[in-house]
Amino acid sequence: MALRQWPHLLLAKSKRLCEDRVSPRMRHQKKTIKLGRTADHRRALLANQVCALIEHQRIKTTLAKAKAVRPLAERMVTLGKNGSIHARRRALAVLRQKSVVKKLFDDIAQRSAERNGGYTRIVKLGARKSDSARMAFIEWVDAEYIAEEKPKKEKKAKRKESEAEPQQIMPEAEQPTREEPKAEAPAPTQEEPTAEPAEEPKPKKRRWFGRKSDDS
């Protein structure tokens, strides 16, 4: 009786039942790259990446982060090309650094004035050794100076070069000559005296104790 008296309750119940049976909507026009972070963390990360890109003209990061930074960086350049106070305030609300915003409006926006889009470039690199994450450079297309990556120190090559160097050879004049021992003359052989023939031993006389000899 309650549903018949209040028809709007019946309509609400039927609508709720229909929503439960229908599958959820598809994610059309939702291209947010979440990067495994919350919304506030992701906004702070992208803002810091754009500030580093404006200051250094080129940064090295993972490919996923580079793709997430690119739309925000190009949006900031569009605000810089506008040049109004409202655009400056919007850029400051995102980047939170006055010096970076000033450089964006005075340098990068003026340099890209004749370009209608595509202010950044992504250069893919190999996989990182630690976790095999795909790395990439993101840089400004119209950058006057592009910072080059410092070459790694090759320790093994230096060791091989040091081993390959020949040992210093002293000149012949400085090398001390070893004196060869002189051959000694053979000593004169002395004639050994001829040994005389040994005399035959005489037989010893036996003595008988306790007996008197016949002569006594």
Side-chain angles (χ1 to χ4, degrees):
M1 294 296 294
L3 294 177
R4 292 178 182 178
Q5 292 177 358
W6 306 99
H8 64 278
L9 296 176
L10 182 60
L11 294 173
K13 185 177 180 181
S14 61
K15 185 178 180 180
R16 186 168 61 253
L17 291 173
C18 292
E19 289 178 354
D20 293 340
R21 292 175 184 176
V22 176
S23 60
R25 296 178 182 178
M26 300 182 71
R27 297 182 68 256
H28 291 304
Q29 297 182 354
K30 294 182 179 180
K31 298 180 181 179
T32 304
I33 302 174
K34 295 186 178 181
L35 299 174
R37 291 168 172 82
T38 59
D40 294 336
H41 189 183
R42 184 170 58 253
R43 279 194 291 267
L45 172 67
L46 298 180
N48 290 335
Q49 293 280 60
V50 174
C51 291
L53 179 61
I54 293 171
E55 290 180 355
H56 303 290
Q57 307 296 316
R58 185 186 196 184
I59 59 174
K60 181 181 179 181
T61 182
T62 59
L63 183 60
K65 289 180 184 177
K67 289 181 179 180
V69 167
R70 187 173 189 175
L72 182 60
E74 296 193 356
R75 198 180 308 144
M76 294 298 105
V77 176
T78 304
L79 293 175
K81 290 171 67 176
N82 188 356
S84 62
I85 296 175
H86 179 63
R88 189 179 291 269
R89 287 175 179 173
R90 288 182 62 186
L92 184 60
V94 175
L95 301 179
R96 304 280 182 172
Q97 296 184 22
K98 292 183 179 180
S99 59
V100 174
V101 173
K102 183 178 180 181
K103 187 175 182 180
L104 171 66
F105 277 70
D106 298 342
D107 184 15
I108 296 174
Q110 299 298 329
R111 196 171 59 205
S112 304
E114 298 179 358
R115 191 178 291 275
N116 294 326
Y119 309 111
T120 57
R121 179 192 298 119
I122 293 177
V123 181
K124 294 181 181 180
L125 303 175
R128 189 162 52 190
K129 289 185 178 180
S130 60
D131 56 353
S132 299
R134 294 194 297 171
M135 305 299 292
F137 278 127
I138 180 169
E139 61 189 11
W140 301 109
V141 175
D142 298 323
E144 297 178 357
Y145 171 75
I146 296 176
E148 296 181 356
E149 187 179 7
K150 295 181 180 180
K152 296 181 180 179
K153 296 180 181 179
E154 297 180 358
K155 296 182 179 179
K156 295 182 180 180
K158 290 183 178 180
R159 290 178 182 175
K160 290 180 181 179
E161 290 178 1
S162 61
E163 291 177 359
E165 290 181 358
Q167 297 180 356
Q168 294 181 358
I169 301 173
M170 297 176 65
E172 295 180 358
E174 296 181 0
Q175 288 182 354
T177 56
R178 295 181 180 178
E179 295 181 356
E180 297 180 356
K182 295 180 180 179
E184 296 180 357
T189 57
Q190 297 179 357
E191 295 181 357
E192 295 180 358
T194 56
E196 296 179 357
E199 297 179 356
E200 294 181 358
K202 295 179 180 181
K204 294 181 179 180
K205 293 181 179 181
R206 294 182 179 180
R207 293 181 181 181
W208 297 95
F209 297 99
R211 291 183 180 180
K212 294 180 179 181
S213 59
D214 298 334
D215 297 335
S216 59

